């Protein structure tokens, strides 16, 4: 007999899968490597371009003071740069550095290998479907990391850098 759809709670399964994956990832880390919270911030900046600190805090669902600490760590390691927004001197714009891009690529290569092992029971098509569904679910609950319109020019300038 199959369980009723109402008995199929996804959150405990997602949490368990995340915990197993996190443990596997942490076992690959060397001292000083990027932690999951670093990766998420760097990935947002990589995908969406420069962002204000506040927009990044909103997208990460973190208190702005916690984001400052996170960005301090990333900036000390030269993985991001922060500068004042020329349109609003009270606002800081955060951008992924070339070194941050390199670190992110290395970390995502390790994650790909862990994904392959952890999700090996799923076909490539099932994995693609799972990814699409999770992106849709996360996107519905995650505010955009965009910077305000008056600073949007910074994003296109940053992407056009050689």
């Amino acid at each position: 007999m199959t369980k009723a759809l109402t008995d199929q709670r996804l959150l405990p399964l997602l949490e368990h899968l995340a915990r197993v994956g996190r443990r596997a990832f942490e076992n690959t880390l060397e001292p000083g490597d990027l932690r999951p919270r670093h990766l998420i911030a760097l990935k947002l900046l990589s995908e969406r371009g420069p962002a204000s600190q506040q927009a990044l805090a909103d997208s990460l669902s973190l208190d702005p003071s916690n984001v400052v600490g996170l960005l301090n760590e990333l900036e000390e390691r030269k993985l991001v740069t922060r500068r004042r927004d020329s349109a609003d001197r009270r606002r800081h714009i955060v951008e992924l550095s070339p070194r941050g891009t390199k670190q992110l690529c290395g970390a995502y290569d390790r994650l790909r290998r862990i994904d392959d092992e952890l999700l090996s029971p799923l076909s490539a098509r099932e994995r693609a479907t799972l990814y699409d569904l999770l992106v849709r679910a996360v996107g519905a609950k995650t505010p955009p990391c965009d910077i305000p319109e008056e600073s949007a020019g910074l994003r296109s300038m940053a992407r056009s850098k050689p």
Side-chain angles (χ1 to χ4, degrees), residues 3-162:
K3 288 186 175 186
L5 188 58
T6 58
D7 292 339
Q8 295 178 353
R9 297 291 120 216
L10 296 176
L11 197 54
L13 288 172
L14 288 171
E15 175 58 32
H16 177 74
L17 191 62
R19 190 177 3 187
V20 170
R22 189 170 30 255
R23 187 173 297 132
F25 179 70
E26 288 172 354
N27 287 337
T28 71
L29 294 176
E30 299 291 328
D33 272 349
L34 296 172
R35 301 288 180 229
R37 66 192 208 114
H38 298 127
L39 287 176
I40 293 167
L42 294 177
K43 186 68 172 171
L44 280 172
L45 292 170
S46 171
E47 290 176 348
R48 300 178 181 174
S52 71
Q53 277 186 197
Q54 183 60 53
L56 194 57
D58 292 345
S59 290
L60 294 169
S61 298
L62 291 174
D63 183 88
S65 62
N66 291 336
V67 170
V68 169
L70 172 67
L71 293 176
N72 286 344
E73 292 172 20
L74 294 172
E75 193 173 39
E76 285 172 13
R77 297 166 71 174
K78 300 186 183 339
L79 303 178
V80 299
T81 58
R82 274 188 284 194
R83 65 182 178 283
R84 294 273 181 201
D85 185 343
S86 59
D88 182 349
R89 302 294 298 161
R90 297 168 295 174
R91 184 178 16 235
H92 284 91
I93 302 299
V94 183
E95 184 175 1
L96 186 64
S97 72
R99 183 176 179 169
T101 300
K102 183 178 177 181
Q103 291 272 325
L104 184 62
C105 287
Y108 266 77
D109 185 50
R110 289 195 313 271
L111 283 173
R112 182 194 45 76
R113 290 192 302 267
I114 292 165
D115 277 356
D116 288 345
E117 183 178 321
L118 191 62
L119 300 174
S120 63
L122 303 180
S123 70
R125 177 183 242 174
E126 290 169 325
R127 288 172 67 174
T129 299
L130 176 62
Y131 179 84
D132 291 342
L133 292 170
L134 290 172
V135 165
R136 207 165 81 203
V138 168
K141 296 295 181 190
T142 305
C145 190
D146 293 337
I147 53 180
E149 286 303 312
E150 66 268 13
S151 301
L154 292 172
R155 188 176 328 154
S156 60
M157 288 176 17
R159 288 189 177 144
S160 65
K161 287 182 186 175

